[in-house]
Amino acid sequence: MIECRRDAATGREVIMEVNGRFWGSLQLAIDAGVDFPALLARCAAGETVPAVSNYRVGVRSRWFWGDVDHLYLRLTRSDERLQLEPGAPSRLRAVLDFLRVDLEHDRSEVWRWRDPGPFLVESLQWCGLLGRGRRRR
């Protein structure tokens, strides 16, 4: 995984991080139909790994507590304080985006019916009721 960022002053791309691990949006790829960890395991086992061409386009990953944090900041901080670029979406747009749910395309980053534990732990952490709280106000 290689992470880059564009330097606003020069417009130049700068490498920020190189990691020998999967990227943070891995769940999105899996939800779209490309299970990279399973493909890697097959490759490591010496199996032939076919090219993947059958995946769903338009799948969107939603991270609930990240969406809550974003909405909170948009509603409680000025555009200037958040250093938003001119023409950034309005606060109303932030509320509407938060409320918009597309059951056909949206997938939860953490919540899974078959394994609710990670979401419950993250929720308790976010609320400050368990270990390292996520709230950064």
Side-chain angles (χ1 to χ4, degrees), residues 71-78 81-82 91 137:
L71 182 62
Y72 174 82
L73 291 172
R74 287 295 285 129
L75 296 177
T76 61
R77 305 284 195 275
S78 69
R81 184 165 179 201
L82 293 173
R91 288 183 170 139
R137 307 279 183 251

Side-chain angles (χ1 to χ4, degrees), residues 10-11 22 37 44 79 99 112 121:
T10 65
F22 286 115
D79 291 1
L99 296 175
R112 302 291 156 155
V121 168

Side-chain angles (χ1 to χ4, degrees), residues 1-80:
M1 193 270 309
I2 300 174
E3 185 174 349
C4 299
R5 185 168 210 134
R6 184 182 310 270
D7 183 330
T10 65
R12 193 174 122 220
E13 295 287 338
V14 179
I15 293 178
M16 291 178 51
E17 177 179 14
V18 176
N19 275 309
R21 62 177 168 82
F22 286 115
W23 51 95
S25 60
L26 176 62
Q27 188 62 52
L28 175 60
I30 294 169
D31 289 343
V34 183
D35 190 341
F36 284 100
L39 294 172
L40 179 61
R42 288 181 64 182
C43 183
E47 297 178 25
T48 300
V49 180
V52 177
S53 59
N54 186 24
Y55 53 87
R56 292 177 296 285
V57 175
V59 175
R60 185 171 79 141
S61 184
R62 302 270 320 251
W63 174 36
F64 179 75
W65 288 114
D67 288 349
V68 169
D69 283 342
H70 175 259
L71 182 62
Y72 174 82
L73 291 172
R74 287 295 285 129
L75 296 177
T76 61
R77 305 284 195 275
S78 69
D79 291 1
E80 294 77 24

Side-chain angles (χ1 to χ4, degrees), residues 60 62 96-106:
R60 185 171 79 141
R62 302 270 320 251
L96 294 175
D97 285 346
F98 178 81
L99 296 175
R100 184 185 70 188
V101 176
D102 179 345
L103 296 177
E104 183 178 347
H105 297 101
D106 288 355

